[in-house]
Amino acid sequence: MTNPERFKNITPSALPSRIEELGEPKFRAKQIFKWVYQKRVGSFGEMNNMPKTLRERLSGLFTLQKMEPLFIKESKFGDAVKFGFSLVESPHLVESVLLYDDDRRTACLSSQLGCALGCVFCQTGKMGFIRNLTQEEIIGQLIGINDYLMSKSDKLVTNIVFMGMGEALSNFRNFLSSLQIIMHEDAFNIGGRRITVSTAGVIPSIERLMEEELNIGLAISLNAFTNEQRDRLMPVNRKYPIESLVSIAKSYFNKTGRRVTFEYVLIEGETDSLEAADTLQRFLGGFPCKINLIPLNPSSDSVLRNTSDSNLERFSDQLHQRGLSATIRKSRGQDIWGACGQLSGRMIDR
Ligand code: SAH
Ligand code: SF4
């Protein structure tokens, strides 16, 4: 007997025809979709507005098995929770983070196991690229986080950032179909204004994203102020240098009306100088964009050091004086290794 197909890998656009192929009316696809992504059931047996025979038939063909959280670590500061989900397609763990901000519940999702881009300050980059996550493995993180919030009688996820492991735009197909589920009113119903994808700046993928007209937020990890320095810290810069990032950010704004965020990690003696502030003004001044200053989080074997709090404040002031819109991203989840650049997808022993 063959294994049942993993239902959550069926794309939303393929689902109606897959259900019709079974000789079922179209409205069933909508019903099932709601049960799986809105009510987050783990079996077809629970779909009590459908005939029992159909439920049994679906159970034989497909599985709704969930990705189990192997660990859930709550930050002692109460503002972040890190999850390690066991994957179904390989013996790895994928990590995701839930962040609390007043009324907001933001899920920071992973899109790949490891990452091919090898930024020197990033723990995920150190793993190298293992593989893309499937649609089910991306959405499964969100399902797991919502199950957790529900168990706490809390509200469900309101915002999504693709800032976990990997480059979502380099896993374009699965990223896109996951977004369709995230944004769908019968599923997670989270609008483009509350979704952001972060990229190290793979220009052709950003162009492709623009063609989709999803109106989601774009964040570009800049992290350096000269090409020489960015080549060293983020090897992808050799292909897509700073000028090309600035140019695509302008196009993104013109096309979507959304200001692009530039993420900028503060590394002591590297990226936190007065010269850096001047140069950023030359690159980013005069067009609508935002700068997100991120304190460097420690990774296991890096020699790079975080800038001091006072330097961080000073740098932020210098950017403001130069007319740039900069905010400091509070570092959360450090005590649970859930902060930016600290996620890794270890192997697990089942
Ligand atoms: N691959 C995407 C998204 C994942 S990384 C990207 O690079 O944009 C999410 C953010 O964490 C990026 O802005 C990245 O620059 C930042 N980051 C990586 N390592 C970090 C570290 N050690 N400390 C602080 N931020 C880090
Ligand atoms: Fe990959 Fe982003 Fe980490 Fe760079 S910072 S290695 S692009 S996950």
Side-chain angles (χ1 to χ4, degrees), residues 13-303:
S13 47
L15 185 60
S17 58
R18 293 296 307 275
I19 298 300
E20 276 181 307
E21 275 167 23
L22 303 174
E24 290 295 325
K26 240 199 193 121
F27 72 87
R28 289 275 181 239
K30 187 178 165 84
Q31 266 181 330
I32 299 170
F33 191 76
K34 274 188 167 184
W35 277 108
V36 175
Y37 298 114
Q38 200 173 65
K39 304 200 177 75
R40 305 185 310 282
V41 295
S43 71
F44 290 97
E46 293 167 70
M47 303 183 179
N48 58 18
N49 57 355
M50 300 200 310
K52 191 152 180 263
T53 47
L54 173 61
R55 288 185 263 159
E56 281 168 1
R57 194 167 164 218
L58 291 169
S59 307
L61 294 170
F62 304 105
T63 173
L64 287 176
Q65 180 201 18
K66 293 191 182 189
M67 292 192 325
E68 291 304 321
L70 279 193
F71 68 77
I72 297 178
K73 285 189 200 150
E74 297 170 345
S75 161
K76 62 179 185 238
F77 306 108
D79 55 2
V81 182
K82 175 160 143 177
F83 299 81
F85 294 103
S86 80
L87 292 182
V88 287
E89 311 273 350
S90 68
H92 290 98
L93 248 178
V94 69
E95 300 188 337
S96 331
V97 182
L98 165 66
L99 299 162
Y100 296 83
D101 275 296
D102 304 322
D103 266 0
R104 252 186 290 166
R105 302 285 175 271
T106 302
C108 177
L109 303 182
S110 294
S111 54
Q112 298 182 315
L113 260 184
C115 180
L117 300 186
C119 305
V120 299
F121 43 78
C122 173
Q123 194 70 26
T124 309
K126 294 210 172 84
M127 293 166 62
F129 176 69
I130 300 173
R131 66 173 175 84
N132 283 327
L133 295 183
T134 62
Q135 171 185 293
E136 170 177 22
E137 290 167 338
I138 297 174
I139 289 298
Q141 300 168 59
L142 186 51
I143 291 176
I145 295 175
N146 269 348
D147 284 349
Y148 168 86
L149 285 166
M150 182 113 133
S151 75
K152 302 274 176 190
S153 308
D154 198 348
K155 64 195 289 192
L156 303 184
V157 169
T158 58
N159 293 62
I160 306 278
V161 292
F162 281 91
M163 295 186 186
M165 290 164 49
E167 263 285 308
L169 295 184
S170 298
N171 180 9
F172 205 85
R173 200 168 43 113
N174 297 342
F175 166 66
L176 196 62
S177 64
S178 302
L179 269 183
Q180 284 160 356
I181 298 173
I182 290 169
M183 297 172 83
H184 202 290
E185 61 178 5
D186 293 330
F188 296 92
N189 196 20
I190 298 178
R193 295 240 141 235
R194 293 187 280 134
I195 302 172
T196 298
V197 60
S198 178
T199 172
V202 183
I203 301 283
S205 308
I206 301 176
E207 287 167 344
R208 208 167 149 200
L209 177 67
M210 275 160 48
E211 283 163 22
E212 297 293 333
E213 302 196 338
L214 291 165
N215 203 31
I216 65 171
L218 177 68
I220 298 178
S221 298
L222 183 62
N223 297 340
F225 66 96
T226 68
N227 281 317
E228 176 278 317
Q229 180 186 49
R230 198 165 186 272
D231 284 350
R232 231 178 335 109
L233 296 172
M234 303 181 69
V236 66
N237 194 66
R238 294 175 202 146
K239 211 158 172 192
Y240 306 113
I242 298 179
E243 294 77 1
S244 65
L245 305 180
V246 172
S247 157
I248 196 89
K250 288 179 181 165
S251 310
Y252 199 84
F253 176 75
N254 291 336
K255 177 111 201 259
T256 64
R258 297 201 60 168
R259 293 198 292 166
V260 169
T261 298
F262 285 94
E263 292 153 297
Y264 190 83
V265 173
L266 270 295
I267 306 172
E268 187 187 59
E270 273 278 359
T271 63
D272 60 352
S273 62
L274 186 62
E275 188 196 352
D278 284 336
T279 316
L280 287 182
Q281 181 189 21
R282 276 207 299 284
F283 277 125
L284 307 181
F287 84 98
C289 66
K290 298 179 269 190
I291 303 173
N292 212 326
L293 300 174
I294 313 178
L296 180 78
N297 293 306
S299 66
S300 54
D301 55 354
S302 178
V303 292

